[in-house]
Amino acid sequence: MSVRHISIRMSGLALAVVAALHGAAVFAADNTGVTAGAAAPADASVTDKSKAKSLEAISVVAPGETIQVQSVSSVDIKALPPGSSAFKALDELPGVNFQSSDPWGAYEWSTQITLHGFDQSRLGFTLDNIPLGNMSYGVTNGLQVTRAITSDNLSAAEIAQGAGALGTPSSTNLGGTVQFYSADPDPVAGARVSQAVASDSTYRTFVRLDSGDFHGYSMYVSFNRADTGKWKGYGDQVDNQVNLKSLYQWGDGNRVSLFVDSSKRKEYDYQDLSLTSQRILGWNYDYWQPDWTSAVQTALAIQGKGAYPASLNGLPANYDKGDVNYYAGGGIRRDNLVGLSGQFALGSNATLNLGTYYHGDRGEGQWATPYVASSATVPIAMRTTDYGLDRTGGTASLNFNIANNDIEIGAWVEDANTNQERNYFYLNGQYTFLSDFYDSEQPFLRGFLQNYQTTTRMGYIEDTLHFMDDRLTVNIGTKALDVATTAKALVPTSALSGGQVTAKDNFLPQAGVDYKLDAHQDVYASYTKNMAAYGFLPFSQSQTSFDNAKSSLKPEESQTFEFGYRVQGAGFEASADAYFTHFTNRLLAVTPCSAVQTCSAIINNVGSVKSKGIDLALIWKPMEHMRWLNTLSYDNSKYQNNYLDNGVVETSGKYVVGTPVWMFTSALSYTLDGFTFNIDGKYTGRRYITYINDSSVPAYWLFNAGVNYDIGAVSILKDLSLGFNITNLANKHYFATTGTNGYVASDPNGYNQTLQAGARRQYFFNINAKF
């Protein structure tokens, strides 16, 4: 059984919509988004109550919220190079560390976000209240937001750095949450076209067609095609994406919305580096492709049949030259996402929100491995990790008011069927393309084939009370979360296990208070407890190890305390947030015995992490048409325990890997006579890349700039604008993503190849026309 044989479980509506979508001739347009000071779209999240407001597009103040909530709008996303991930805009907010080795933030092997000591595997992400999972590369419970929606069609993105709303449909949000909102269709019929060209033979075309409003009904359909050349090495990254959104509104607050996304993405990988390989081989070192001769020579050297290529001679004698470079790697993803939601007014003080969704993914990660031969003359084979995911789910909430109580009761359910397999295919010699092997060939060897069935059930209740003429807001609530995963090996394997694990907690409380000091200032405090589902991690050990560890396994948990102050004045807004988080039952694959003993690797509880820090943010308008954003973040996240892994690993008191202690951002924008100028800089502090902190990547500054000129109406065009962006303005060499191949306990020589180099200076030009 392989990925292509997994059944797709879709409703008739979803099948019809996707079929129509693939057969349609589509157009697209630039997204107007939400205006400064606007709240999130009404259908953005069927359970979200956030009402972040701002003087400009970016908001660092959310009056009345009992947790830290900040947001960016389409204005901020539009200022980025066309096609950029919305995370590039969120990276300007305090506490946010977003990394990617490409200038758009779209290359998935390298995308990484950390918040207050948590990596993205322990955060929560949604689009219009559709769970995106933890957006992992390995397709376990969701998909990247760049595949879920074209960035041009986003209206806003909202981040809760410490803890998300109680009803957020996520089973991984030990830390914060990020909620993305799709733009509604334009009320006036029209078309928009955006064309961009950039460095390294990059081009991108985006087209959108809006129907306009017709008796309450409106819709748009868009198409995006991007071919972005790699900034070093061979290959490119190609994305084709279709979005459709239709909306029907009637009465006072009633609406039904359908969102459909179809995405196909192929990307050539960038070679992972180590501190030593970068120092010896340079920042521009990449895969051998298309140099087949050197790749074959490397494979033969691994087998003891010759010497490594001379270009590797500068590496230390004890460096594993067989792993410093491979011939090629790449990723393929195909996604279909359908979401149907409704908001219904039930009288004057009650609202019912309903949502249902389907997500299907077929994907493949490719690696030309020198450790398995195709034949006596071809010492390299194609190793693929194939993915198949089908998940369906629904959300519901009822909001009503009794006296001074705003009560919300809600639920989230999801069923997911996932297959993952490891296959090997013959290679006949040199190749220079990404091929869908699982579509056309049978493997000569299969490493594993696992099936996972996951059921998620969540229910919650929350009461928000208003006192003292709404100056004092108190909210209390709790949720119950039950996530069961059953794994089954469909072919014999010794590397993975089968069985069932359940993460369950019927009392996960959240409480908070906000007090308005006056019309412009408020203070808040909150407490949140969260639990994370196990995911597939417990099954990544032998069957014996799984059976022995299962009874003592506990799900990861976190408790977060937040305290903050917010102020809005004439021409400025500011916030200060302090937090403390206790993260317990941290799970890690270890060999829990001394170096002189023999024992099996297991998934083990290696203790806890304590995080404490401060986020500061200020938006200042010193003059008309000028905005200056400054943020400062301090995060002290440290492991609290030592653990056994072939001996004692002394991590107690060490900083959490991949998380900078200090970050600072400054972004200035100015508008004059149709021109908008933007310049921003961010300082990212040192990040440790080993658990005992004996290896790290250095701190760096990164600067970007852009200018947009809105020409206005020209002939048949309603609007015409030109844009120019430069990323990495100073052409800085730096390490972007860390931990792409995981972290190790110790690496004092800097040999672990788990780093991605950041992109060099890039230039972008785009033209946008509205008809």
Side-chain angles (χ1 to χ4, degrees):
M1 181 177 179
S2 76
V3 169
R4 60 183 179 275
H5 295 140
I6 298 175
S7 62
I8 300 178
R9 301 178 298 173
M10 296 178 64
S11 66
L13 172 63
L15 283 168
V17 171
V18 172
L21 186 59
H22 279 288
V26 295
F27 300 92
D30 192 3
N31 158 39
T32 56
V34 297
T35 58
D43 72 330
S45 170
V46 297
T47 60
D48 181 67
K49 307 184 302 300
S50 54
K51 301 176 182 178
K53 299 178 182 179
S54 64
L55 297 172
E56 289 285 348
I58 286 181
S59 166
V60 297
V61 170
E65 292 292 333
T66 60
I67 58 177
Q68 183 183 15
V69 178
Q70 297 174 338
S71 65
V72 299
S73 83
S74 60
V75 177
D76 308 288
I77 299 170
K78 187 177 179 180
L80 300 169
S84 293
S85 168
F87 279 115
K88 299 288 284 185
L90 288 168
D91 192 44
E92 294 185 351
L93 296 177
V96 182
N97 174 36
F98 177 70
Q99 300 288 348
S100 178
S101 59
D102 73 316
W104 298 271
Y107 169 46
E108 294 192 16
W109 179 252
S110 72
T111 54
Q112 177 187 70
I113 181 172
T114 62
L115 293 174
H116 293 181
F118 288 104
D119 62 29
Q120 72 183 56
S121 70
R122 297 177 174 100
L123 303 175
F125 306 91
T126 65
L127 169 66
D128 294 352
N129 215 41
I130 300 170
L132 302 179
N134 59 17
M135 302 200 306
S136 66
Y137 182 82
V139 188
T140 57
N141 62 359
L143 73 165
Q144 280 277 347
V145 66
T146 50
R147 283 187 278 125
I149 187 172
T150 303
S151 59
D152 307 69
N153 293 327
L154 283 171
S155 68
E158 185 175 87
I159 188 166
Q161 286 92 328
L166 190 66
T168 302
S170 170
S171 61
T172 57
N173 60 318
L174 291 176
T177 61
V178 182
Q179 297 176 301
F180 298 96
Y181 305 119
S182 66
D184 284 346
D186 287 346
V188 179
R192 302 189 184 190
V193 179
S194 176
Q195 181 65 53
V197 294
S199 302
D200 301 305
S201 302
T202 293
Y203 71 88
R204 178 181 186 267
T205 302
F206 172 75
V207 186
R208 177 172 133 176
L209 179 66
D210 279 85
S211 69
D213 182 82
F214 184 73
H215 299 295
Y217 176 80
S218 58
M219 69 166 291
Y220 66 72
V221 62
S222 72
F223 173 74
N224 169 67
R225 161 78 180 188
D227 191 334
T228 60
K230 287 174 60 180
W231 62 269
K232 66 173 181 177
Y234 177 85
D236 59 6
Q237 292 160 354
V238 179
D239 178 44
N240 289 280
Q241 190 170 31
V242 175
N243 288 167
L244 177 149
K245 185 171 183 178
S246 63
L247 173 66
Y248 180 60
Q249 303 179 87
W250 74 96
D252 185 13
N254 298 287
R255 53 189 282 144
V256 174
S257 175
L258 172 69
F259 178 80
V260 181
D261 166 75
S262 182
S263 169
K264 295 182 179 180
R265 182 170 176 84
K266 289 187 177 183
E267 55 187 27
Y268 286 79
D269 284 334
Y270 290 97
Q271 178 66 51
D272 292 311
L273 304 176
S274 69
L275 292 172
T276 296
S277 71
Q278 181 282 313
R279 177 172 54 84
I280 302 299
L281 303 174
W283 290 101
N284 290 330
Y285 194 71
D286 203 38
Y287 281 97
W288 290 120
Q289 195 177 42
D291 183 0
W292 180 255
T293 300
S294 293
V296 169
Q297 186 178 351
T298 300
L300 292 174
I302 291 173
Q303 301 169 16
K305 299 178 181 179
Y308 287 98
S311 61
L312 305 182
N313 288 344
L315 292 167
N318 63 342
Y319 198 99
D320 190 349
K321 296 179 182 179
D323 282 321
V324 75
N325 199 4
Y326 310 111
Y327 179 66
I332 299 170
R333 299 289 187 271
R334 302 173 181 173
D335 293 273
N336 291 309
L337 179 69
V338 180
L340 179 65
S341 63
Q343 177 179 295
F344 309 97
L346 307 178
S348 59
N349 64 346
T351 302
L352 176 65
N353 302 284
L354 299 173
T356 185
Y357 60 90
Y358 163 80
H359 171 223
D361 175 273
R362 300 296 179 268
E364 183 175 271
Q366 299 184 0
W367 174 42
T369 173
Y371 295 98
V372 178
S374 292
S375 65
T377 57
V378 182
I380 301 172
M382 173 57 70
R383 193 197 80 172
T384 68
T385 305
D386 301 327
Y387 308 101
L389 169 64
D390 293 286
R391 59 190 181 108
T392 56
T395 57
S397 69
L398 177 64
N399 305 72
F400 57 95
N401 175 265
I402 299 177
N404 65 337
N405 297 264
D406 295 329
I407 300 173
E408 180 174 338
I409 302 172
W412 167 45
V413 299
E414 181 180 281
D415 292 326
N417 177 39
T418 308
N419 273 23
Q420 292 190 358
E421 58 182 301
R422 174 69 48 77
N423 294 317
Y424 295 85
F425 298 88
Y426 291 119
L427 291 175
N428 298 318
Q430 181 186 31
Y431 71 93
T432 55
F433 57 90
L434 281 175
S435 173
D436 295 354
F437 282 88
Y438 67 84
D439 276 355
S440 58
E441 300 181 31
Q442 289 296 320
F444 70 84
L445 176 66
R446 175 163 287 147
F448 60 79
L449 173 54
Q450 294 284 107
N451 174 257
Y452 303 93
Q453 299 282 343
T454 303
T455 61
T456 302
R457 304 291 184 262
M458 186 185 85
Y460 68 96
I461 183 169
E462 184 174 21
D463 185 9
T464 302
L465 300 95
H466 305 274
F467 302 103
M468 302 171 61
D469 294 326
D470 214 26
R471 290 185 63 182
L472 176 64
T473 300
V474 177
N475 71 294
I476 54 174
T478 185
K479 69 178 176 182
L481 180 63
D482 186 333
V483 184
T485 301
T486 302
K488 182 179 180 180
L490 302 181
V491 299
T493 177
S494 61
L496 303 175
S497 56
Q500 185 181 71
V501 292
T502 300
K504 181 178 181 180
D505 196 321
N506 291 326
F507 184 64
L508 295 168
Q510 181 169 315
V513 58
D514 179 89
Y515 179 68
K516 294 183 176 65
L517 300 173
D518 55 34
H520 305 288
Q521 303 177 83
D522 66 310
V523 292
Y524 62 91
S526 68
Y527 165 78
T528 304
K529 181 181 179 181
N530 271 316
M531 178 196 72
Y534 290 112
F536 302 161
L537 182 64
F539 308 107
S540 60
Q541 57 188 330
S542 69
Q543 189 65 54
T544 300
S545 296
F546 174 82
D547 293 338
N548 291 336
K550 179 182 175 181
S551 61
S552 61
L553 205 61
K554 295 181 180 180
E556 295 180 335
E557 293 186 343
S558 68
Q559 297 184 72
T560 299
F561 300 84
E562 278 190 296
F563 311 89
Y565 166 78
R566 294 178 285 235
V567 60
Q568 280 182 303
F572 77 96
E573 60 178 85
S575 67
D577 182 85
Y579 59 89
F580 172 78
T581 298
H582 190 199
F583 166 31
T584 56
N585 303 330
R586 186 170 71 93
L587 299 179
L588 190 68
V590 299
T591 304
C593 57
S594 68
V596 297
Q597 295 174 301
T598 300
C599 59
S600 301
I602 65 170
I603 304 303
N604 203 15
N605 183 334
V606 295
S608 64
V609 176
K610 289 184 178 179
S611 301
K612 53 188 176 183
I614 297 175
D615 292 333
L616 304 175
L618 169 66
I619 294 177
W620 181 37
K621 295 181 64 177
M623 63 180 68
E624 190 176 7
H625 308 305
M626 178 179 286
R627 183 191 69 187
W628 190 10
L629 167 70
N630 289 277
T631 69
L632 178 67
S633 301
Y634 169 74
D635 179 86
N636 185 312
S637 296
K638 291 183 177 180
Y639 303 112
Q640 299 300 301
N641 307 89
N642 299 330
Y643 62 89
L644 282 174
D645 189 7
N646 283 320
V648 177
V649 180
E650 297 183 351
T651 54
S652 179
K654 305 298 184 183
Y655 287 99
V656 169
V657 292
T659 299
V661 175
W662 290 99
M663 291 186 293
F664 174 73
T665 300
S666 187
L668 183 67
S669 65
Y670 182 65
T671 300
L672 177 66
D673 296 333
F675 285 94
T676 300
F677 302 91
N678 296 281
I679 186 167
D680 65 81
K682 180 164 185 176
Y683 170 82
T684 301
R686 178 173 62 171
R687 290 164 288 160
Y688 290 101
I689 56 175
T690 59
Y691 292 121
I692 67 169
N693 293 175
D694 62 357
S695 189
S696 63
V697 296
Y700 68 93
W701 277 95
L702 196 66
F703 296 92
N704 307 291
V707 60
N708 185 83
Y709 179 51
D710 190 350
I711 300 173
V714 177
S715 185
I716 63 171
L717 300 179
K718 297 178 182 178
D719 189 60
L720 179 67
S721 65
L722 307 175
F724 181 69
N725 292 81
I726 304 176
T727 58
N728 193 358
L729 197 61
N731 205 24
K732 173 72 174 178
H733 291 305
Y734 68 102
F735 288 109
T737 316
T738 64
T740 50
N741 281 312
Y743 298 102
V744 295
S746 176
D747 183 29
N749 295 321
Y751 287 2
N752 187 24
Q753 293 185 187
T754 193
L755 308 173
Q756 288 272 309
R760 64 193 176 199
R761 184 191 296 128
Q762 302 275 289
Y763 302 91
F764 307 83
F765 174 76
N766 62 285
I767 181 170
N768 305 285
K770 180 179 179 180
F771 298 88

